Amino acid sequence: NAGVTQTPKFQVLKTGQSMTLQCAQDMNHNSMYWYRQDPGMGLRLIYYSASEGTTDKGEVPNGYNVSRLNKREFSLRLESAAPSQTSVYFCASSGKDRTDSNQPQHFGDGTRLSIL
Amino acid sequence: GQQVMQIPQYQHVQEGEDFTTYCNSSTTLSNIQWYKQRPGGHPVFLIQLVKSGEVKKQKRLTFQFGEAKKNSSLHITATQTTDVGTYFCAGRRTGFQKLVFGTGTRLLVSP
């Protein structure tokens, strides 16, 4: 039982390059989330998907796009990477039941992204 | 927007000492969750509190939800080196899907 799987684990990009972070969960969860974690800032929500076919902006969506490809997969794309996007990115999922709002979130191991 | 602050940002204790982290929200919460993140790891869910004034215990950890549902605390009795990590609270406003994470308290325990 893998839970939430993120790829890649590490990545170094040059300013202006694009890339997609992949996330997949095998827990049949309805909701999926992308967070970034910076020192002293906690976890900040970038985008989330309450259910298959829907996506919504979080606190810090600028510079990112997402795709909820199917129930299992939720990808995060950086179209033109900037040094300010250097961070650790976590994907999470929650909610087997229809009422997802009180379900705990399960996190992947994270992607450590550096942009030079 | 909703803000969730935690204090202290960092605490260094000797093994066996107690530890408390406090979580304060600018808005009333429908529930609050606590997570622990070990160094280099990912956040792991610990517990959820829903009711006003609720207190829950997990071995040496005691979690409280304030009467006004705007604050919460996590108390660890007799810390151990395995308690090292960053503790996050995360609150959800009534009617909102999103969790807002606190800034976290990093705990270091010396043997």
Side-chain angles (χ1 to χ4, degrees):
Chain A
N1 189 355
V4 179
T5 303
Q6 289 184 236
T7 55
K9 294 193 184 307
F10 303 93
Q11 185 72 49
V12 179
L13 294 177
K14 294 181 180 178
T15 298
Q17 287 186 315
S18 62
M19 83 161 295
T20 300
L21 308 186
Q22 306 287 354
C23 175
Q25 52 91 10
D26 62 3
M27 295 174 284
N28 200 34
H29 283 166
N30 291 308
S31 301
M32 297 186 74
Y33 311 84
W34 276 105
Y35 293 91
R36 61 177 289 174
Q37 184 174 33
D38 303 293
M41 304 281 293
L43 289 152
R44 292 184 292 169
L45 183 65
I46 305 171
Y47 271 94
Y48 70 102
S49 170
S51 61
E52 187 179 355
T54 69
T55 60
D56 283 288
K57 295 179 180 179
E59 295 173 69
V60 289
N62 291 344
Y64 305 95
N65 285 302
V66 290
S67 295
R68 184 74 184 266
L69 304 169
N70 47 55
K71 191 171 186 179
R72 289 188 64 247
E73 297 172 290
F74 188 38
S75 62
L76 178 72
R77 183 160 178 85
L78 286 71
E79 290 291 351
S80 178
S84 61
Q85 294 177 305
T86 293
S87 189
V88 180
Y89 291 85
F90 286 102
C91 177
S93 69
S94 70
K96 286 183 186 179
D97 303 323
R98 291 177 65 185
T99 53
D100 293 340
S101 60
N102 286 342
Q103 301 296 314
Q105 293 190 7
H106 299 258
F107 285 80
D109 289 338
T111 295
R112 282 144 185 85
L113 183 61
S114 292
I115 298 157
L116 308 177
Chain B
Q2 181 186 359
Q3 292 186 337
V4 180
M5 302 300 295
Q6 276 184 259
I7 54 171
Q9 279 193 318
Y10 171 80
Q11 187 147 11
H12 185 181
V13 301
Q14 294 294 122
E15 192 171 23
E17 292 181 336
D18 292 355
F19 160 77
T20 304
T21 173
Y22 300 92
C23 177
N24 296 289
S25 170
S26 57
T27 58
T28 302
L29 303 171
S30 63
N31 61 6
I32 196 155
Q33 298 177 356
W34 285 91
Y35 292 78
K36 177 183 178 181
Q37 183 178 23
R38 294 184 187 276
H42 60 270
V44 174
F45 174 77
L46 294 176
I47 207 160
Q48 176 170 265
L49 304 169
V50 178
K51 299 176 185 175
S52 170
E54 189 170 14
V55 178
K56 287 188 175 180
K57 292 191 175 185
Q58 287 181 348
K59 297 182 180 178
R60 295 177 294 103
L61 278 61
T62 302
F63 304 84
Q64 290 189 309
F65 201 8
E67 294 289 343
K69 301 184 78 174
K70 294 182 76 172
N71 55 68
S72 182
S73 65
L74 158 59
H75 179 82
I76 302 178
T77 303
T79 54
Q80 300 176 358
T81 54
T82 52
D83 295 325
V84 163
T86 301
Y87 293 85
F88 292 98
C89 64
R92 194 187 310 276
R93 287 173 65 183
T94 303
F96 285 74
Q97 168 78 17
K98 296 177 287 189
L99 270 180
V100 176
F101 278 80
T103 46
T105 295
R106 184 179 166 207
L107 173 64
L108 183 62
V109 181
S110 294

